[in-house]
Amino acid sequence: MTSPTPHHPQQTPSAQQDPHTTQPADVPQQAQAPRTPEEPAPYQETRIERAIGRGFGRVTSRALAPYQTAVIRIGFSATWLLFLLREWPHRAVLYGPDSPWNLDMARRLLAGNHAFSVLPWSDSRGWFECVYLVAVVASALLMLGWRTRTMSVLFMVGVISLQNRSIFIGDGGDNVIHLMSMYLVLTRCGQVWSLDARRAKRAAAAAYASGGEGAEGVPAVSRDLPGVILWSVLGLVLAVAQLSGNYGLGWSEGGPFPHIGWSLVLWGLWLAHGLWWAVQRYAPGEPRIVLDTLAKLAHNGALLVIVIEVCLIYATAGWYKIQGSRWQDGTAVYYPMHLDYFSPWPALSELLGSNGVMVMLITYGTVIVQVAFPFTLFNRRLKNVLLVAMICEHLSIAFLLGLPFFSLAMVAADAVFLPTNFLTWLSARLSGLRERLFPRGGEARPADGTEGGEPEARTGHGGDGHTLVG
């Protein structure tokens, strides 16, 4: 078949160089004009580079999972508070001067394992009572969300001081609280459901009503006299303890990280809190943006560590169970139900323990759920189903085996995977109930309609509304 386009006579070289000569449309660009130096083509990002850029922007633009971290804060502080209050009559026997594990034995053990505790600083009963009372108050204030940055540090010091004083007391739930108390220090766990969030909301509403916004539309930070006094008093206490040469306050040894001592950690946190307040009040521009970005990175990094920690707990528990002969033959749950120490309701334990099919289902179901859960994190629906199963499992352990604080600690750890839509729905219902019970007058709000101390709730049901922890 021949082309319908008529053949053109071959052009001479002079005609090819004439800029006014018309060229056929199908001739390549290189043939239309002589080669000239061209500008470099604009850089095109690859798919991987775009994904990395989006991920970096996501972890630096905002503190992720505000509702999940709030539930973790409330759950662990409430668990530890309830434990301390329950053991209040026995506190001196468990951690104080009347303990069979006396202070000299505790000091020798701490010198060997390099764990930190403020209780060995003094032999007096008054010092022990002061530390125990501070641990109770810090837990209550952290649960309420009052000065969460400071209370999270005091909560951590109280937890590790009491637990390291008598390490043979407690169960697996104590280990979870021990770890989570250190992770909470790095999180912004007071963004929602806290007195800090309410104070920030009121400050933003007052600034909007008076038009007193600072640079870049950010309300000016108030003087915050209670915060300054609290910061100064804690710094004075730490300085006195440091100058007294008390146990555990080293600069490069015995700390939570290699070559970083507890003195460096505590003084670093104290200075970071002061620097944060000073920048928020007196340096509204780039310094504030830089510190805010670093705080978001620390929060998101600690949140990732919490997620990995919970996955490791369930994965190791499940795989170790698989290796046990009693778990393999489906009878492992039978034995603790027939121990008097783990039978707060003997009749109920006997009823369940006498049913062989029920015992087998609970035994195998526990192993399957624990082993499978880490592999379901990227399937939202399946993850939520197993999450409900694990929460029910821990509640049954609290009720049947008499281990309430272990179960509460594990449920609080599981909260990092709760769906965001469920938590925002729950927040709206609780807010509505509070308004019906305690009606208040209207408050001035910022122009964008969002609440000052609380992130905007993501209630959409699209794919972008669900994350690994939601």
Side-chain angles (χ1 to χ4, degrees), residues 154-178:
L154 293 179
F155 176 75
M156 175 191 69
V157 173
V159 168
I160 63 179
S161 294
L162 292 174
Q163 290 188 353
N164 290 337
R165 164 66 175 83
S166 300
I167 63 173
F168 301 106
I169 298 175
D171 47 35
D174 294 334
N175 296 330
V176 177
I177 297 175
H178 193 107

Side-chain angles (χ1 to χ4, degrees), residues 72-273:
I72 292 173
R73 183 200 84 232
I74 296 171
F76 281 107
S77 57
T79 301
W80 184 242
L81 175 63
L82 292 175
F83 174 79
L84 294 180
L85 293 178
R86 191 194 72 169
E87 301 299 341
W88 180 270
H90 316 290
R91 62 190 184 280
V93 177
L94 294 177
Y95 304 109
D98 299 336
S99 173
W101 187 258
N102 60 47
L103 194 58
D104 292 334
M105 299 169 66
R107 283 170 175 165
R108 280 183 285 176
L109 179 62
L110 293 174
N113 60 15
H114 303 289
F116 178 75
S117 176
V118 301
L119 289 176
W121 291 1
S122 175
D123 298 335
S124 67
R125 188 182 187 91
W127 173 247
F128 163 73
E129 297 290 351
C130 178
V131 172
Y132 199 93
L133 183 61
V134 168
V136 171
V137 173
S139 301
L141 293 179
L142 181 63
M143 181 181 63
L144 297 176
W146 187 80
R147 312 286 173 179
T148 51
R149 290 191 179 94
T150 303
M151 290 304 117
S152 64
V153 178
L154 293 179
F155 176 75
M156 175 191 69
V157 173
V159 168
I160 63 179
S161 294
L162 292 174
Q163 290 188 353
N164 290 337
R165 164 66 175 83
S166 300
I167 63 173
F168 301 106
I169 298 175
D171 47 35
D174 294 334
N175 296 330
V176 177
I177 297 175
H178 193 107
L179 294 173
M180 294 299 174
S181 67
M182 292 186 283
Y183 301 152
L184 281 175
V185 174
L186 300 177
T187 63
R188 284 183 165 182
C189 53
Q191 296 180 92
V192 297
W193 296 344
S194 66
L195 296 178
D196 288 347
R198 188 175 71 168
R199 185 174 66 251
K201 172 186 174 181
R202 291 178 174 178
Y208 168 72
S210 61
E213 292 185 344
E216 301 180 1
V218 179
V221 179
S222 61
R223 187 179 179 183
D224 190 18
L225 185 59
V228 174
I229 294 176
L230 180 62
W231 181 79
S232 303
V233 170
L234 292 177
L236 179 61
V237 171
L238 184 57
V240 172
Q242 188 76 55
L243 295 176
S244 301
N246 287 314
Y247 164 82
L249 293 179
W251 292 99
S252 59
E253 295 181 355
F257 304 102
H259 309 294
I260 297 179
W262 279 105
S263 288
L264 190 60
V265 171
L266 296 177
W267 281 113
L269 292 171
W270 184 79
L271 292 175
H273 290 179

Side-chain angles (χ1 to χ4, degrees), residues 2 109-110 177 200-201 203 237 249 286 308 338 379 401 453 458:
T2 59
L109 179 62
L110 293 174
I177 297 175
K201 172 186 174 181
V237 171
L249 293 179
E286 187 173 347
I308 296 174
H338 288 78
N379 188 314
L401 301 182
R458 296 180 299 157

Side-chain angles (χ1 to χ4, degrees), residues 86 170-171 336-345 400-403:
R86 191 194 72 169
D171 47 35
M337 286 185 179
H338 288 78
L339 294 176
D340 294 338
Y341 185 78
F342 293 109
S343 298
W345 312 97
L400 294 175
L401 301 182
L403 297 173

Side-chain angles (χ1 to χ4, degrees), residues 321-332:
K321 285 181 175 66
I322 290 177
Q323 301 176 37
S325 59
R326 295 294 177 263
W327 291 96
Q328 292 176 5
D329 59 27
T331 61

